[in-house]
Amino acid sequence: MDFALQSPLITTMVRRYPDLLYQSLPLSGYRTFVYGPVCINRQSRGQGVLEGLFNAMLQTLKGRYDVGVAFVSELNPRSLHAHQNKLGMKIIDEFEFNGRKYWTLVFDVKSKGRKRKKP
C-alpha cells in the first residue's frame, strides 16, 4: 500500500477508508490493496481477458488480503460497467479529486473468482 500512496489520487481515496462501510465494517478494518488500472487491447475486448486476469489475481492474492479496492473516473463509463457487471465490484463511495468525480469500488478477495461469460 505504501507504493500506492505515492499517488495523490489514491491517497485521497485511502484517507476515506475509516468512513466507508463494506459488509457493515469500516474499510480501514480490512487488509486491502488497490487494484488497477487495467487496459485491454481493443481487439481483445469481449473475449474474457479481463475476467481471466481478474480471476488469476484473486487466486494469487487469496489469504493475503480481504478486500480489493479500485477507483473509476466518471469520464470512463465503459470501465465502470466492466468492473460492476463483469467483475461484480460494488460502489461504496464517490469522491472528487482535481475537480473530477470518481467512484470507489470494492470486491471480496476470498471469493472463488467470477464466472466467465462466453464471448
Side-chain angles (χ1 to χ4, degrees), residues 25-78:
L25 296 172
L27 198 53
S28 58
Y30 292 97
R31 295 175 300 163
T32 63
F33 71 97
V34 176
Y35 157 91
V38 175
C39 183
I40 305 296
N41 180 297
R42 193 170 300 227
Q43 290 80 11
S44 300
R45 292 178 188 163
Q47 297 179 31
V49 174
L50 176 64
E51 295 91 333
L53 289 169
F54 189 75
N55 286 329
M57 177 200 62
L58 287 176
Q59 292 303 315
T60 302
L61 299 179
K62 195 184 305 183
R64 293 178 56 197
Y65 299 97
D66 304 313
V67 176
V69 182
F71 64 90
V72 175
S73 167
E74 70 177 333
L75 301 177
N76 197 346
R78 177 181 295 235

Side-chain angles (χ1 to χ4, degrees), residues 1-114:
M1 184 66 77
D2 292 337
F3 176 77
L5 293 178
Q6 293 178 27
S7 163
L9 187 145
I10 293 174
T11 299
T12 298
M13 179 179 70
V14 170
R15 284 185 180 150
R16 299 171 65 81
Y17 281 16
D19 299 319
L20 304 179
L21 294 180
Y22 177 62
Q23 298 179 350
S24 303
L25 296 172
L27 198 53
S28 58
Y30 292 97
R31 295 175 300 163
T32 63
F33 71 97
V34 176
Y35 157 91
V38 175
C39 183
I40 305 296
N41 180 297
R42 193 170 300 227
Q43 290 80 11
S44 300
R45 292 178 188 163
Q47 297 179 31
V49 174
L50 176 64
E51 295 91 333
L53 289 169
F54 189 75
N55 286 329
M57 177 200 62
L58 287 176
Q59 292 303 315
T60 302
L61 299 179
K62 195 184 305 183
R64 293 178 56 197
Y65 299 97
D66 304 313
V67 176
V69 182
F71 64 90
V72 175
S73 167
E74 70 177 333
L75 301 177
N76 197 346
R78 177 181 295 235
S79 179
L80 182 64
H81 174 34
H83 286 87
Q84 285 185 290
N85 298 319
K86 292 185 179 189
L87 303 181
M89 294 185 188
K90 307 289 183 216
I91 294 175
I92 63 164
D93 190 34
E94 180 180 298
F95 66 97
E96 189 175 300
F97 180 79
N98 282 348
R100 290 202 178 135
K101 182 169 74 173
Y102 293 86
W103 291 285
T104 302
L105 297 99
V106 296
F107 57 95
D108 188 351
V109 177
K110 294 174 279 192
S111 65
K112 295 182 180 179
R114 308 298 183 255

